[in-house]
Amino acid sequence: MDEPGRHHLLLTSDGHPVQHGWWSREETARSKFSRWIGEYSSMPALRVLLTDEETATVLTTWPTES
């Protein structure tokens, strides 16, 4: 079985995980990030988080934290 990619995308609604995925290529993960916002933005208290699991770095979030 293949290892998951290093870029992890997590979508939560009202603080509960709804969907997640891993991609090796950051470009693919960022494309999914944008797509998920468009597809799921009507969910209550939506949050989308993209992290690099190898460096433990948050790459981007939506909505953007102030």
Side-chain angles (χ1 to χ4, degrees):
M1 182 173 209
D2 291 336
E3 292 292 318
R6 71 184 278 178
H7 300 95
H8 182 224
L9 191 56
L10 173 65
L11 181 143
T12 62
S13 178
D14 277 335
H16 302 285
V18 175
Q19 182 167 308
H20 64 98
W22 288 264
W23 291 272
S24 296
R25 293 177 38 121
E26 184 176 344
E27 296 83 10
T28 303
R30 287 186 179 275
S31 175
K32 294 286 187 178
F33 177 86
S34 297
R35 188 175 307 152
W36 285 11
I37 293 168
E39 290 177 9
Y40 300 104
S41 61
S42 64
M43 295 180 83
L46 178 72
R47 181 167 165 80
V48 185
L49 176 71
L50 176 59
T51 57
D52 182 327
E53 294 293 312
E54 284 187 13
T55 63
T57 303
V58 174
L59 300 175
T60 191
T61 62
W62 190 90
T64 311
E65 295 180 356
S66 305

